[in-house]
Amino acid sequence: MTDRITITKTKTTTKAEAATPLPAAEQLKRDSRFLRGTIAQGLADRSTGAISEDDNKLMKFHGSYQQDNRDIRDERRRQKLEPDYSFMVRVRLPGGVLSPQQWLDLDDLASRYGNAGLRITTRQTFQIHGVRKEDMRDLMHGINTTGLSTLAACGDVVRTFVCSVNPQISSGHAKVYDWSWQLMEHLAPRTSAYRELWIDRLEQTTDGASDAEPLLGPTYLPRKFKIGFAIPPYNDVDIFAQDLGLIAILDADNQLQGFNVAVGGGMGSTASDPSTYPRLGDVIGFVPPEHLLQTCWHLVAVQRDFGNRQERKHARLKYTIDSHGGLAWFRDELQSRLPFAIEPPRPYQFTHNGDRFGWIEGDDGRWHLTLRIPSGRLLDVPGHTRQTGMREIARIHRGDLRMTGNQNAVIANVATEDKAAIEALVRQHGLDDHESASGLRLNAISCVALPTCGLAMAEAERYLPHIVTQLEQLMARHGLQDEAIHLRISGCHNGCARPFGGEIGLIGRAVGKYDLRIGADHIGERLNTIYRENINEASILAALDELFARFVAERHSGERFGDFVVRSGIVTPPERRPALVY
Amino acid sequence: FIEPNERFRLPQDSSSDIIMVGPGTGIAPFRAFVQQRQADGASGRNWLFFGNPHRHSDFLYQTEWQNALQEGALTRLDLAFSRDQAEKIYVQQRLREQGAELWQWLEGGAYLYVCGDAQHMAADVQQALLDVAEQHGGLSPESAADWLKGLQLQGRYLRDVY
């Protein structure tokens, strides 16, 4: 019965769509023979380190895209050499969980083929930068050999899944993590192009005649689709920033009852374009576990059918909802495709969207150590041999490892008798920042930005250490050195470091210039508000200097900075649903 | 020291095809050749063989060659970056790989220019040409040598090597 409904909907939409010619981006997907394009030929072309623009769009679906070293762009042009092209490869890693052996394999691959260690992302996975085109096949093959993948890590698909690392409720985490794997496989692309290119490494791909995409269709989704799982009370994945957020509801015995379904979150906007905006998701209902896969399948199908394919900057689910009649419309459309009723949401509460550092004991007596990795960058620097240190830990560790949504690393499931050995390595390799760093420093996150990201307007990762030091000094002058303010820096308005959810958010506008946004909470349920636009560092510090002074003078006992600036009326929080729809 | 090479010139007839073998610094005159042919609106085709250790840092004038290919000023480009893979690959290997097409161009009256290292490259390239003549022209080794000499006498096999 469900299948019949799906087919009917698709036919109706296709008829309507047939009247409008497909935009180039959509036609490219349709003509690509399920994501093959001319990638194989492009990889073989030794006259350039690049692949074609079209192939690059398709390459994203395989988990990679082409970048160049922007620091030396001008120099290369003067030398009449093409840009210093390389590829970024992103691992598909639901819930950020991997085994010590997988860690060692990835570390080895990154050392051989990448140029900057491993980079933990804000969605709990790894990126490897600086990969030469000639090495792409070997790297991708190597990642798959270790039991991981890069499929659908980028592109117009359901992306890698996030899942609270939740050290405490170990059995709960295990169950929810298992569901995240099942759902990932249920919604994944089916094309055999991935196998042809990276596992079998065929010199020429086939015509894909036997491929089909029952859910995604030959044009896949209109845009990226991010799904996450959260286990209250910890919102370290920023569940409401996902297109689809699944909030695990556990009963008093920590048994999984089901999931609240939140839809329509998404960072990302175009600066100075009010028809684009960040949005937090809204909870529309609850489903028991046995209905999870079916519900999500049809939910993604609604976005597939109704998402805007004419204008990519209005294609995310948040715009689909807002432009069609809001949550009621969406809920009705989804319900009409399901053979069971979506139940009313169940109560839940989140208390924090940062990470909790140090050792925490799980409910099964095993231990979890959350380590601070600044900007998620695993590289050896003087005093902090983080990449080597994690490798050494992986060599002796008998549990698992988890990346967090705040770019940190958890050594998970450590037996009590193994703690000392791990602690020793942590100290030896300077992985113990969490023991001495300020609250500001511990919770600051940033995207990669320069030199590799082609979209960056300003520095983020490379700027973070400096600006944090400046802010620490400023805060110390106000006696706020222990205040754990959440600072998020993104190089542009695409918002990959979720800057719209920072108590202080900095968003790059131009070299050395940022938008300053303030007033988000520390739970992930309120976005921040623009405070100053396009200002330099001196102005940022001056503005915060004034704000900190007021904060100290007027705050309620225990009140957080983000909450204070809202309560005191310094900024008005954004509307939960933006008034401006198109 | 710069010495003039009076005979290392483009063909008088711009409808003639040209084949340029210029690894390393030998690429220098061919830049001018291709620019000149483009400026003259020459109808003849242009084929360049280039080699150097690494594509990433040693692909001399890369963006110019890429533009020339796109604009049609360069018809074919074959590359050999010797250190970009486990086994060393030089321009002479590309000449052999493209032997059938190369033979066609030469039989059709193309001019062949070799510029660059005298010590190793020039001899290796010459041997590759002889091998192409034998394999694709069906010539015996002696006939191939005669053929090459003939090309030289016709002024269609020109070298600037140092």
Side-chain angles (χ1 to χ4, degrees):
Chain A
M1 184 182 121
T2 313
D3 283 349
R4 180 155 52 83
I5 293 173
T6 308
I7 291 166
T8 307
K9 291 284 176 200
T10 309
K11 266 194 187 151
T12 311
T13 314
T14 306
K15 268 192 194 145
E17 278 183 350
T20 329
L22 282 180
E26 294 296 305
Q27 194 65 47
L28 172 68
K29 288 185 274 184
R30 186 178 281 282
D31 293 342
S32 71
R33 295 164 354 269
F34 294 99
L35 309 175
R36 288 168 172 79
T38 50
I39 292 176
Q41 294 89 309
L43 290 174
D45 181 356
R46 291 176 169 267
S47 73
T48 170
I51 56 176
S52 73
E53 207 179 306
D54 281 353
D55 282 339
N56 199 29
K57 294 193 169 94
L58 301 173
M59 184 69 105
K60 291 183 181 181
F61 291 81
H62 297 271
S64 175
Y65 44 90
Q66 182 176 295
Q67 302 183 315
D68 75 282
N69 184 340
R70 292 175 60 177
D71 283 345
I72 61 173
R73 239 183 219 176
D74 285 345
E75 175 60 28
R76 297 278 297 186
R77 190 170 41 240
R78 274 195 292 276
Q79 292 177 337
K80 298 196 189 297
L81 292 172
E82 64 181 9
D84 179 19
Y85 290 121
S86 65
F87 286 80
M88 180 282 291
V89 173
R90 183 183 295 156
V91 181
R92 181 185 75 172
L93 197 65
V97 180
L98 69 165
S99 69
Q101 185 57 53
Q102 288 171 332
W103 184 289
L104 291 171
D105 291 341
L106 279 182
D107 180 84
D108 178 59
L109 289 166
S111 301
R112 277 194 283 141
Y113 299 116
N115 71 351
L118 285 164
R119 174 53 152 97
I120 304 171
T121 73
T122 54
R123 296 193 83 247
Q124 299 183 282
T125 183
F126 293 105
Q127 287 181 177
I128 298 172
H129 291 267
V131 185
R132 296 283 172 225
K133 188 171 79 169
E134 300 74 53
D135 292 331
M136 279 295 292
R137 297 254 212 187
D138 286 346
L139 172 60
M140 301 281 268
H141 187 261
I143 292 171
N144 280 276
T145 304
T146 193
L148 299 171
S149 179
T150 63
L151 176 64
C154 319
D156 302 337
V157 278
V158 174
R159 299 284 186 90
T160 189
F161 280 60
V162 294
C163 179
S164 296
V165 296
N166 198 310
Q168 240 154 328
I169 314 170
S170 298
S171 58
H173 176 268
K175 280 205 195 66
V176 175
Y177 172 65
D178 182 63
W179 276 110
S180 76
W181 257 96
Q182 287 193 49
L183 186 57
M184 176 192 79
E185 291 183 326
H186 197 56
L187 302 178
R190 304 278 189 250
T191 176
S192 59
Y194 189 85
R195 161 166 287 280
E196 286 183 5
L197 282 166
W198 314 114
I199 298 175
D200 298 336
R201 291 185 283 189
L202 301 182
E203 277 203 31
Q204 286 184 324
T205 47
T206 69
D207 61 3
S210 56
D211 276 336
E213 293 285 2
L215 171 62
L216 302 171
T219 51
Y220 293 83
L221 295 180
R223 207 68 167 86
K224 65 184 80 164
F225 196 97
K226 299 181 176 180
I227 301 182
F229 286 82
I231 308 168
Y234 307 116
N235 191 18
D236 47 306
V237 298
D238 262 329
I239 196 72
F240 299 110
Q242 314 298 321
D243 291 275
L244 169 56
L246 296 157
I247 301 169
I249 305 297
L250 308 180
D251 66 18
D253 299 318
N254 287 335
Q255 298 304 304
L256 179 64
Q257 302 216 297
F259 303 93
N260 277 348
V261 176
V263 296
M267 301 286 104
S269 60
T270 308
S272 307
D273 181 346
S275 75
T276 66
Y277 43 83
R279 189 186 189 285
L280 291 178
D282 291 288
V283 178
I284 60 166
F286 169 91
V287 292
E290 60 270 22
H291 290 161
L292 178 69
L293 299 186
Q294 204 172 5
T295 303
C296 295
W297 173 283
H298 289 288
L299 199 152
V300 170
V302 173
Q303 166 64 356
R304 175 199 68 204
D305 293 339
F306 288 95
N308 189 333
R309 292 183 187 260
Q310 300 299 321
E311 177 54 76
R312 285 182 70 85
K313 68 177 182 177
H314 293 146
R316 288 289 291 276
L317 178 62
K318 57 186 170 180
Y319 303 119
T320 310
I321 293 171
D322 287 350
S323 67
H324 279 92
L327 291 170
W329 164 83
F330 185 82
R331 197 181 183 288
D332 288 346
E333 179 60 44
L334 175 60
Q335 181 65 80
S336 74
R337 300 178 183 222
L338 297 173
F340 47 78
I342 305 169
E343 299 174 34
R346 304 230 178 147
Y348 64 90
Q349 191 190 25
F350 290 113
T351 56
H352 194 227
N353 65 350
D355 287 340
R356 293 165 309 139
F357 296 93
W359 288 104
I360 295 175
E361 188 176 8
D363 60 5
D364 60 356
R366 302 189 141 254
W367 293 83
H368 310 271
L369 175 61
T370 302
L371 298 174
R372 165 81 181 144
I373 313 289
S375 289
R377 180 69 63 178
L378 287 156
L379 201 55
D380 288 348
V381 297
H384 303 277
T385 44
R386 296 189 177 100
Q387 188 177 5
T388 299
M390 288 301 297
R391 187 186 315 131
E392 294 302 316
I393 289 171
R395 288 213 173 102
I396 65 167
H397 182 40
R398 295 181 299 158
D400 60 278
L401 296 127
R402 301 174 196 173
M403 308 305 105
T404 78
N406 291 297
Q407 306 173 324
N408 296 309
V410 182
I411 321 292
N413 282 311
V414 181
T416 308
E417 61 268 23
D418 295 333
K419 285 173 68 182
I422 295 197
E423 278 240 13
L425 286 170
V426 165
R427 285 194 203 300
Q428 182 191 340
H429 291 280
L431 280 162
D432 52 355
D433 297 76
H434 61 281
E435 301 204 338
S436 53
S438 67
L440 178 81
R441 190 173 288 277
L442 276 183
N443 290 285
I445 66 178
S446 72
C447 67
V448 176
L450 299 163
T452 48
C453 182
L455 304 173
M457 306 296 286
E459 298 277 359
E461 178 177 333
R462 297 198 296 196
Y463 183 49
L464 188 144
H466 168 82
I467 188 64
V468 163
T469 301
Q470 302 305 307
L471 286 172
E472 279 173 335
Q473 289 166 4
L474 181 61
M475 287 166 69
R477 284 205 285 284
H478 291 277
L480 290 170
Q481 57 276 6
D482 297 326
E483 201 66 28
I485 298 178
H486 288 190
L487 168 68
R488 297 176 173 188
I489 309 179
S490 260
C492 77
H493 271 68
N494 283 295
C496 298
R498 303 193 295 277
F500 300 100
E503 290 185 271
I504 299 174
L506 292 174
I507 304 183
R509 292 293 300 272
V511 175
K513 305 276 276 285
Y514 298 83
D515 279 358
L516 171 62
R517 304 179 67 96
I518 57 174
D521 62 10
H522 60 288
I523 297 172
E525 292 180 346
R526 186 180 68 235
L527 295 176
N528 55 27
T529 306
I530 186 71
Y531 186 63
R532 295 279 184 274
E533 281 196 58
N534 204 10
I535 58 174
N536 63 16
E537 177 173 303
S539 304
I540 292 170
L541 294 172
L544 289 170
D545 193 20
E546 277 182 13
L547 291 170
F548 290 149
R550 283 196 59 180
F551 180 48
V552 168
E554 302 168 33
R555 71 188 293 193
H556 291 160
S557 169
E559 187 176 34
R560 301 272 313 216
F561 179 69
D563 295 334
F564 165 74
V565 299
V566 166
R567 179 185 62 76
S568 61
I570 294 173
V571 290
T572 313
E575 298 235 341
R576 191 81 169 96
R577 271 176 290 289
L580 182 71
V581 294
Y582 54 94
Chain B
F1 300 104
I2 299 176
E3 294 172 8
N5 186 337
E6 301 291 338
R7 282 166 306 150
F8 200 83
R9 295 284 185 272
L10 282 170
Q12 294 255 3
D13 181 357
S14 65
S15 71
S16 298
D17 295 336
I18 61 173
I19 302 165
M20 302 163 280
V21 182
T25 55
I27 192 113
F30 300 132
R31 210 170 152 240
F33 274 31
V34 170
Q35 287 174 0
Q36 186 67 55
R37 295 264 280 190
Q38 190 173 24
D40 293 343
S43 61
R45 299 174 297 175
N46 307 323
W47 188 349
L48 175 65
F49 288 82
F50 174 72
N52 234 354
H54 298 290
R55 186 205 63 233
H56 176 255
S57 47
D58 309 322
F59 190 168
L60 302 173
Y61 305 110
Q62 175 181 31
T63 52
E64 287 190 356
W65 299 124
Q66 286 172 336
N67 288 338
L69 272 173
Q70 266 184 349
E71 292 165 9
L74 188 58
T75 319
R76 292 198 50 152
L77 175 62
D78 281 275
L79 301 164
F81 294 106
S82 57
R83 303 213 184 137
D84 272 353
Q85 58 284 313
E87 70 280 15
K88 295 249 169 76
I89 302 181
Y90 298 103
V91 286
Q92 49 270 26
Q93 183 172 331
R94 297 299 184 225
L95 291 168
R96 290 192 176 91
E97 284 169 5
Q98 302 302 323
E101 184 78 5
L102 198 59
W103 182 251
Q104 291 289 332
W105 279 49
L106 289 165
E107 286 294 276
Y111 285 61
L112 175 61
Y113 300 85
V114 180
C115 182
D117 169 62
Q119 195 166 13
H120 299 292
M121 185 274 296
D124 290 341
V125 165
Q126 179 147 311
Q127 186 57 53
L129 293 170
L130 293 170
D131 292 345
V132 166
E134 287 177 43
Q135 186 176 3
H136 297 282
L139 302 179
S140 69
E142 294 79 25
S143 306
D146 285 341
W147 162 79
L148 198 59
K149 209 164 195 78
L151 220 54
Q152 215 167 353
L153 288 170
Q154 287 172 61
R156 286 172 53 213
Y157 176 37
L158 298 147
R159 308 201 307 170
D160 190 319
V161 297
Y162 41 87

